[in-house]
Amino acid sequence: KDSSLTRNFCIIAHIDHGKSTLADRFIEKAKLGVTRGPAQSQILDNMDIERERGITIKSQAVTIPYTAKDGKTYELNLVDTPGHVDFSYEVSRAISSCEGALLLVDASQGVEAQTIANLYMAVEHNLTVIPVINKIDLASADIPACLHQIDHDLGLDTDLTVQVSAKTGVGVDELFESIVTNIEPPQGSDAAPLQALIFDSHYDAYRGVIVHCRVVEGVMKVGDEITFMHSDASYKLEEVGIFQLGLVKTGELHYGDVGYCVAGVKTISDIRVGDTITSVINPAKSPLPGFKDVKPVVFSSIYPVDTNDYEELNDAIERLKLNDASLIYEKDSSAALGFGFRCGFLGMLHLEVVQERIEREFNLSIVFTSPSVSYIVHMRNGDVLHIDNPLTYPEPMQVEYAEEPYIRANVITPTQYVGPIITLCMEKRGVQTGMNYLDEKRVELVYDMPLAEVLFDFYDRLKSISRGYASFDYEVNGYKKTDLVRMDILVNGEPVDALSQLVFRGNSQKRGRQVCSRLVGEIPRQQFKIAIQAAIGGTIVSRETINAYRKDVTAKCYGGDIGRKRKLLDKQKEGKKRMKMVGNVEIPQGAFLAVLKSD
Ligand code: GDP
Ligand code: MG
C-alpha cells in the first residue's frame, strides 16, 4: 500500500461555520453514491439529537477517494470532530489522528472563540492548517475582514487561504487540490510494531463495539491478537475496515490509515479514547502520547418517575454506556425518589443529551436531581473527601473548609457588549485575568470563574446579552477555596432530597428564593395548600405557598361528548405518569431540572 497517497485531515470551526455542510460536499464530490434530499441534514451527523441541535457529538470519519489534477488517486481521510466545549478531549484525539486541518471561518461572522481554541489545538499537534473562508455566497460575506483576521488574529498565511461556499460547492475542487498539495502524507513504517490511536467508538447491534482508530505505525490485520495499552485488555481482531457511509471491510489497515476494528469487546470501559492499540506478539515499547483519563465534571442522579421502571432504566443506562464511554454511573437511592443512578457527565450538554436519549430511545420518564460539580472537602480530622452529591455532604461542624473547581473562560465579543459581559462575569464570581483587543471591533476576555457558576445559564445569558455575537470556550484549571453550604428544599415540611444543592453561601438567599418561586410555577395546584421552603441547616431562607385548587378538566365539555371526555381523562392520566409523588404532593418531572435554571 502506498501511503504517500494518503491525506488525513479534520475540519475545525466555530459552531455553525459550516463544518458539517462542507463534509457533505466532500462526500458528494467524492461520488460515494449519496444524494441527499433537501430536508435531510448532514451526512456525518448520525444521531437525531445532533441533527436537531445542529452539533456533532460523536466524531465520525469517512474515507474519500479523490483523483487529483496530477492524475493520481488519493485516499483522503476526513475525521469529523465534535463541536461543543464539553467534548474538547475528544476533539484533541481526533486532531492528533490527522496531519492537517481545514480551519473554517464563516465569511459573515469572522473568527470566534472556538476558532481560536481549535487552532491552538491544531498547532499544538503540529498540523498543517489551511485557512478556509466559507459562505462566500452570502451577501453579508466580508472576505477582506476575514483575510485580515486570519493574518492578524490567527497568524496564518493568507496565501494558503481557500474561499468556498460549502452550500453551493464553489471552491471545493480547489480545496481538494490544496489538501493534496499542502498536507503531508503520513510518516511511518509497516515494519514497526503496531500503534493505533483510538479516537472514538460506537456500538453496533450486530458487531458489538466498533473502535475508530488511526494507525500510526505498523499494520493491523484480521486475526491479530491486540492489546489496549492503557486498559491492558487483550482481544483478537475480528474485523478491520474503513468508513464509507457505512463500514467497508478491508481486512487490514496500514500505517497512516484511518478506519475501524471490531474485536469482540464486551466491556466498553476497555475502550478509552486516546488509548493505543498494539500487537500482543510484537508490542510497541510505549503507548502514543496524549492519553488522558477524562473525568466527568457534572454529577446528577437519574430516577425513574415510576419506581416500577427501575429495571428498564438500568437497561437503558447500560445500553447508552455502550455508545458513550464517557458516561459514568453507579447505583443511588433517595428518600423522595427511590432507587436510581448517580451519573457523571462531561458537561450540561452531555447531561441533556443523555436525558433526551433515555426519554426518546427508551421511552422512559425520568427525573434528574440538581446537577453538582465535585467539591474537595477538607475535614477537621484531616480527611479529604471528594463530594459531588449534596446528600453526602458532611455536617458543617466537621468541615474545616471546602474547595470548588474553577475554569479558565475565554470570551470573544464585539466591543459594544464588553460592559454587560463584564457585569455578567462578575456576578458569576469571575476574576478577570486578561483583556485583549483583537482588532478595532473585537475583544477577548479571559476570566477565572467557578465551574458551578457557568454550568446552568451562563452561556444562554452571554448569547442574549450579545445578541448571539459573543462566543465562549473554557477549560477546567484547578480548585480554589470556597464557602459552601447545603440548601434543602421542603415541600409541606418534607425535605425533597433530590432538590438539595450545594451552593456558595453568598448566593444561597438568592438561590433559595429562585428555587422556591420556580417550584411555585412548576407544581400545579392541588386539593390542599402547599408550603415550599428553602432551608440552610435549621434556618428557613425563603418561603412560598401554593393555594389549593381542584382542577376539573372535564368541566369544559358540557355533558354529551363521552369520547372527548375520555380523551381528556386519558390525557390527564398521561400527565400523572410524568408526576413524582413526594410525600402527598405531586411534582411534575420537569420541575426538577427547571428549578435549577436561574433567570
Ligand atoms: P457546523 O456547526 O459547523 O457543522 O455548521 P453546519 O454545516 O451545520 O452549518 C450551519 C449553517 O450554515 C447551516 O444552516 C448551513 O446550511 C449554513 N451554511 C453552511 N455553509 C454555508 C455556505 O457556504 N453558505 C451559506 N449561505 N450557508 C451555509
Ligand atoms: Mg455540524
Side-chain angles (χ1 to χ4, degrees):
K1 165 150 189 173
D2 186 358
S3 297
S4 71
L5 297 176
T6 302
R7 297 291 182 276
N8 297 316
F9 70 102
C10 54
I11 309 176
I12 53 184
H14 192 75
I15 286 179
D16 282 345
H17 283 201
K19 192 157 61 86
S20 303
T21 311
L22 183 63
D24 262 19
R25 277 302 83 66
F26 281 171
I27 291 166
E28 239 172 50
K29 288 257 181 194
K31 307 203 172 56
L32 285 180
V34 233
T35 42
R36 82 184 165 97
Q40 201 194 334
S41 195
Q42 284 88 7
I43 295 161
L44 283 183
D45 288 347
N46 276 333
M47 282 161 49
D48 278 355
I49 301 165
E50 295 187 342
R51 233 168 237 174
E52 278 165 32
R53 295 181 179 233
I55 50 163
T56 306
I57 295 162
K58 300 288 286 179
S59 53
Q60 306 274 324
V62 63
T63 298
I64 304 165
Y66 171 70
T67 305
K69 293 213 175 94
D70 63 11
K72 295 181 189 154
T73 298
Y74 290 82
E75 197 175 281
L76 310 184
N77 291 311
L78 164 59
V79 177
D80 194 19
T81 55
H84 192 277
V85 285
D86 282 7
F87 305 99
S88 57
Y89 174 67
E90 277 79 355
V91 176
S92 82
R93 294 307 84 203
I95 283 179
S96 61
S97 305
C98 300
E99 277 77 27
L102 310 183
L103 184 78
L104 272 198
V105 177
D106 183 321
S108 69
Q109 303 293 318
V111 168
E112 300 194 64
Q114 264 183 291
T115 322
I116 295 182
N118 285 325
L119 173 66
Y120 286 162
M121 219 185 257
V123 169
E124 205 178 295
H125 291 95
N126 296 318
L127 266 54
T128 302
V129 178
I130 302 176
V132 180
I133 301 178
N134 185 32
K135 309 197 189 182
I136 56 167
D137 60 295
L138 288 176
S140 54
D142 188 346
I143 294 165
C146 288
L147 285 168
H148 174 74
Q149 291 172 2
I150 286 167
D151 174 31
H152 184 264
D153 301 352
L154 306 181
L156 295 173
D157 188 353
T158 48
D159 292 339
L160 261 187
T161 305
V162 184
Q163 300 177 18
V164 305
S165 165
K167 190 173 170 187
T168 66
V170 168
V172 172
D173 287 331
E174 286 92 309
L175 189 49
F176 269 127
E177 287 298 321
S178 175
I179 291 167
V180 166
T181 29
N182 293 309
I183 296 177
E184 299 92 74
Q187 302 291 315
S189 151
D190 277 347
L194 174 67
Q195 278 181 313
L197 176 70
I198 301 177
F199 62 86
D200 201 1
S201 68
H202 76 272
Y203 187 75
D204 178 289
Y206 301 103
R207 297 167 161 106
V209 179
I210 314 277
V211 180
H212 304 202
C213 60
R214 148 79 197 256
V215 180
V216 176
E217 288 286 0
V219 183
M220 175 184 251
K221 266 203 213 68
V222 166
D224 288 353
E225 299 280 345
I226 52 147
T227 300
F228 299 108
M229 295 181 85
H230 287 281
S231 304
D232 199 20
S234 296
Y235 293 94
K236 189 175 173 151
L237 284 177
E238 292 167 1
E239 189 181 324
V240 172
I242 57 171
F243 300 100
Q244 282 201 326
L245 302 173
L247 305 176
V248 176
K249 288 184 205 177
T250 57
E252 55 187 45
L253 290 172
H254 294 251
Y255 83 87
D257 289 348
V258 172
Y260 73 92
C261 63
V262 178
V265 177
K266 294 286 177 300
T267 325
I268 185 81
S269 46
D270 284 350
I271 307 297
R272 296 197 277 172
V273 168
D275 201 351
T276 302
I277 304 173
T278 194
S279 135
V280 169
I281 294 171
N282 182 19
K285 287 204 179 61
S286 56
L288 296 160
F291 176 76
K292 209 168 87 180
D293 215 354
V294 274
K295 297 257 178 356
V297 296
V298 186
F299 302 84
S300 170
S301 300
I302 309 179
Y303 292 95
V305 168
D306 181 343
T307 46
N308 294 322
D309 288 344
Y310 175 77
E311 284 304 322
E312 276 176 69
L313 179 61
N314 190 8
D315 285 354
I317 292 182
E318 269 174 20
R319 302 242 309 265
L320 278 185
K321 171 81 186 171
L322 287 175
N323 250 321
D324 183 354
S326 53
L327 172 68
I328 63 149
Y329 68 94
E330 60 188 30
K331 292 199 159 69
D332 193 14
S333 68
S334 141
L337 302 174
F339 289 103
F341 298 91
R342 187 76 187 163
C343 301
F345 306 93
L346 300 177
M348 282 304 280
L349 177 80
H350 188 208
L351 180 152
E352 284 169 34
V353 167
V354 169
Q355 178 187 17
E356 284 188 34
R357 293 189 65 186
I358 292 177
E359 295 189 333
R360 275 194 225 181
E361 293 170 28
F362 302 93
N363 200 20
L364 285 169
S365 284
I366 49 170
V367 160
F368 274 77
T369 63
S370 310
S372 172
V373 298
S374 179
Y375 296 93
I376 298 178
V377 180
H378 298 260
M379 304 290 284
R380 290 242 152 92
N381 67 8
D383 289 353
V384 177
L385 311 174
H386 287 256
I387 292 197
D388 61 64
N389 190 342
L391 302 182
T392 58
Y393 196 72
E395 283 300 316
M397 290 297 293
Q398 300 169 354
V399 176
E400 181 77 39
Y401 67 96
E403 293 179 294
E404 67 177 320
Y406 266 67
I407 59 163
R408 180 176 181 277
N410 185 288
V411 176
I412 293 181
T413 174
T415 43
Q416 67 262 43
Y417 307 114
V418 166
I421 289 175
I422 288 179
T423 309
L424 173 66
C425 291
M426 279 167 62
E427 185 192 316
K428 297 289 185 185
R429 295 190 279 139
V431 174
Q432 198 180 88
T433 59
M435 178 162 168
N436 317 311
Y437 278 80
L438 296 173
D439 54 35
E440 319 74 57
K441 294 202 203 93
R442 287 165 324 118
V443 181
E444 179 189 31
L445 297 167
V446 187
Y447 272 86
D448 272 342
M449 274 199 278
L451 175 65
E453 296 282 351
V454 298
L455 280 185
F456 304 118
D457 66 345
F458 179 80
Y459 191 60
D460 293 342
R461 283 181 63 192
L462 182 72
K463 284 282 168 193
S464 85
I465 286 176
S466 67
R467 295 164 189 262
Y469 284 109
S471 51
F472 169 60
D473 193 56
Y474 76 84
E475 60 187 19
V476 179
N477 72 344
Y479 277 77
K480 283 188 186 163
K481 205 166 170 176
T482 184
D483 188 4
L484 201 63
V485 292
R486 184 172 109 188
M487 184 174 76
D488 297 315
I489 303 298
L490 314 176
V491 173
N492 269 355
E494 289 248 7
V496 184
D497 55 6
L499 290 177
S500 292
Q501 43 186 296
L502 296 172
V503 293
F504 178 63
R505 189 187 299 275
N507 289 346
S508 59
Q509 284 254 336
K510 190 172 129 220
R511 187 64 74 83
R513 268 200 309 276
Q514 268 170 357
V515 172
C516 289
S517 67
R518 260 169 208 269
L519 267 181
V520 170
E522 291 289 333
I523 299 179
R525 294 180 172 203
Q526 293 170 30
Q527 282 158 292
F528 41 83
K529 219 184 198 177
I530 303 168
I532 296 174
Q533 296 165 308
I536 291 170
T539 315
I540 304 292
V541 294
S542 177
R543 184 197 159 95
E544 297 269 350
T545 307
I546 302 173
N547 286 319
Y549 174 67
R550 195 185 188 301
K551 193 171 167 198
D552 185 357
V553 288
T554 58
K556 275 188 232 113
C557 29
Y558 350 90
D561 192 349
I562 299 282
R564 180 143 179 250
K565 221 179 228 178
R566 162 108 359 104
K567 240 191 216 148
L568 275 170
L569 284 170
D570 282 351
K571 225 176 172 177
Q572 197 184 36
K573 240 204 238 143
E574 189 59 34
K576 275 241 172 67
K577 266 209 283 185
R578 297 174 74 90
M579 300 276 195
K580 188 78 212 174
M581 291 300 293
V582 172
N584 58 353
V585 180
E586 287 175 342
I587 302 184
Q589 175 201 22
F592 291 88
L593 267 187
V595 296
L596 305 166
K597 304 210 168 107
S598 50
D599 288 334

